Amino acid sequence: MATRHLKVFALLGCALFAGAALQAADTPPTTLHKVDGHWTAWDPPTPPEGANVHIVVPGDTFWDLARTNLNNPYLWPQLWEKNQYVRDAHWIYPGDPLILDLQVAPPTTVGATGDEGTEDVTGGMDDGSAGEPVIAADATGPFPGVAPAGKGSVPVPLGTQDDIYCSGYIGAPDEAFGYSVIGSEYDVLSPQLKNPVYGQVEGIFGTVDAVKYKLTTGDIVYLDGGRAAGLSPGMLFTAVAGGRIVRHPVSNEALGRQYNYTGRVRVLSVQEESAIAEIVQSCDGISVGMRLKPFEQEPIPLARRGLVRPTTEPATVEELSTAAVIVSSPVELVSLGQDHVVFIDRGEDDEVLPGDIFTIYRMNRPAAPPVVLGELAVLSVQAHTAVAKILESRYPVYVGDRLERK
């Protein structure tokens, strides 16, 4: 998945920045002061004695530090949470101390115990600390706005497991998959009758002998690969249903095919050329013929929720002319709103990360300013597209609405 970096830039002397900032951090902190011989916008505390401290050097990012110290870059919010004096994760300064004393449990092997309820993909931590979280100053933008429910300084999950694992992605129109579901136990559970004229075996209700079309959690299915194809017991796969070709609502160019996730299966046993598997998660039901791709565990992104962009301070038409766009939704709804999942036309190669938050706009009639509709958060990214969840909406949201990163 994504390996996009949070850009962090060294400030030298009189706030000279090296490099170009991310869109998400186009407006860096403007008030700098000198602390222990280095320039910073924050007020780093003195680390406690014996703490595992890393002194920021040019080029450091929370993303890379989480990869190095936690073996998972997606856990960068845990480092941010531990160092709450940093008000904006896009800006850390050479010389600032970062405490790395984190005790993050190794990721649970999903379904390994047969208890789906134990799955934890939030990257939770237990550092043994107690008491109320330190309240950080809001750093969401220059404009006042309406505070969303639950607004605070502590990073909160931006979605749920189902938002990620029951969504999908936009991929190549002819994407190849290694395996597929070729049958289920229900295919032969219908009583069988032999046609006396043709000698064919037919189900009691006709030639279709399956009694369940959409298979759900606990159902047994058969896969078209076995030991010879590299399958082994315990392997997890996501079931994928191929959909329509998605065309960009503004340019009308083909973006790719929409693939929807329909559930997850675990291999129970393998034969030389086939395998038996159990459905361990069902979204909209898994059907015979659906393709399978290796399951990839993704943490639920965390972020500090800020103020929603006020309706009186929208972006300009020029700023939104080349902005990101909502291009589709997994459920193919025309009218979308809060808590709906959508696909957008920006991804990893466009410097978009899980956890990024965008303001949603509707382009207005000529000479009128764009209308602020709400905001959404990115949950998962591909190369040039991403899955996002609408966090708030004042009005219905449609495919084609524009997005501006906060």
Side-chain angles (χ1 to χ4, degrees):
M1 294 302 295
T3 54
R4 195 204 78 174
H5 300 288
L6 290 172
K7 305 293 187 185
V8 181
F9 302 92
L11 278 99
L12 305 176
C14 298
L16 176 64
F17 290 92
L22 277 179
Q23 274 185 288
D26 277 343
T27 306
T30 57
T31 303
L32 303 178
H33 56 281
K34 215 166 188 179
V35 176
D36 294 332
H38 73 280
W39 291 92
T40 179
W42 317 129
D43 297 307
T46 301
E49 186 176 352
N52 179 15
V53 177
H54 171 79
I55 303 301
V56 176
V57 298
D60 275 348
T61 69
F62 275 126
W63 178 268
D64 286 333
L65 290 173
R67 188 206 314 272
T68 301
N69 295 277
L70 305 180
N71 297 318
N72 187 344
Y74 281 96
L75 296 183
W76 67 264
Q78 311 303 335
L79 292 179
W80 188 19
E81 173 68 7
K82 190 68 176 179
N83 298 275
Q84 291 194 26
Y85 75 87
V86 177
R87 301 291 192 254
D88 186 336
H90 291 88
W91 300 93
I92 57 178
Y93 298 80
D96 279 354
L98 296 178
I99 296 177
L100 304 180
D101 292 324
L102 294 171
Q103 297 176 2
V104 179
T108 303
T109 301
V110 180
T113 64
D115 183 2
E116 286 296 298
T118 64
E119 179 177 0
D120 179 9
V121 295
T122 62
M125 73 171 185
D126 178 11
D127 62 359
S129 61
E132 294 299 315
V134 178
I135 303 301
D138 179 57
T140 58
F143 307 114
V146 179
K151 176 187 175 292
S153 69
V154 177
V156 296
L158 296 175
T160 67
Q161 295 174 16
D162 283 351
D163 292 331
I164 296 177
Y165 298 141
C166 289
S167 56
Y169 63 100
I170 297 173
D174 55 351
E175 183 167 338
F177 296 86
Y179 312 99
S180 62
V181 178
I182 58 173
S184 78
E185 288 186 331
Y186 290 100
D187 294 345
V188 294
L189 291 184
S190 171
Q192 302 279 310
L193 296 177
K194 186 173 183 178
N195 188 306
V197 177
Y198 302 104
Q200 297 173 334
V201 176
E202 298 179 344
I204 195 170
F205 301 109
T207 57
V208 178
D209 22 39
V211 295
K212 189 174 184 181
Y213 173 65
K214 286 195 172 182
L215 305 166
T216 55
T217 303
D219 288 341
I220 299 298
V221 295
Y222 305 116
L223 312 184
D224 64 352
R227 193 177 299 107
L231 290 183
S232 60
M235 295 179 70
L236 282 168
F237 291 91
T238 298
V240 179
R244 64 181 178 86
I245 297 295
V246 176
R247 306 197 74 84
H248 197 282
V250 177
S251 67
N252 201 37
E253 295 180 358
L255 295 176
R257 188 178 302 281
Q258 181 170 310
Y259 296 95
N260 292 334
Y261 296 148
T262 61
R264 188 160 64 246
V265 303
R266 182 200 297 118
V267 177
L268 299 179
S269 64
V270 295
Q271 296 75 48
E272 191 62 23
E273 302 294 339
S274 63
I276 300 173
E278 176 188 12
I279 297 176
V280 294
Q281 182 202 22
S282 175
C283 300
D284 189 35
I286 296 175
S287 301
V288 172
M290 287 184 175
R291 311 307 298 272
L292 300 173
K293 64 179 301 182
F295 171 70
E296 297 182 38
Q297 184 166 306
E298 294 188 56
I300 299 169
L302 307 176
R304 286 186 171 97
R305 293 293 308 278
L307 303 178
V308 179
R309 183 89 175 217
T311 59
T312 55
E313 298 288 349
T316 66
V317 173
E318 291 74 19
E319 290 171 330
L320 297 179
S321 61
T322 58
V325 176
I326 296 174
V327 297
S328 184
S329 75
V331 290
E332 300 290 350
L333 293 177
V334 174
S335 181
L336 301 159
Q338 184 171 325
D339 293 332
H340 281 133
V341 173
V342 298
F343 298 114
I344 69 173
D345 67 345
R346 296 291 192 276
E348 175 184 356
D349 292 350
D350 307 296
E351 303 285 356
V352 169
L353 258 186
D356 284 349
I357 296 178
F358 289 78
T359 301
I360 309 171
Y361 290 92
R362 171 98 20 88
M363 300 303 283
N364 211 330
R365 62 183 184 277
V371 177
V372 177
L373 301 179
E375 64 183 28
L376 58 73
V378 175
L379 302 181
S380 177
V381 297
Q382 300 291 320
H384 291 291
T385 59
V387 176
K389 183 175 183 176
I390 299 174
L391 301 178
E392 298 189 47
S393 59
R394 299 173 57 239
Y395 300 107
V397 175
Y398 300 129
V399 168
D401 285 337
R402 308 298 175 93
L403 305 169
E404 179 192 45
R405 184 156 32 188
K406 292 181 70 173

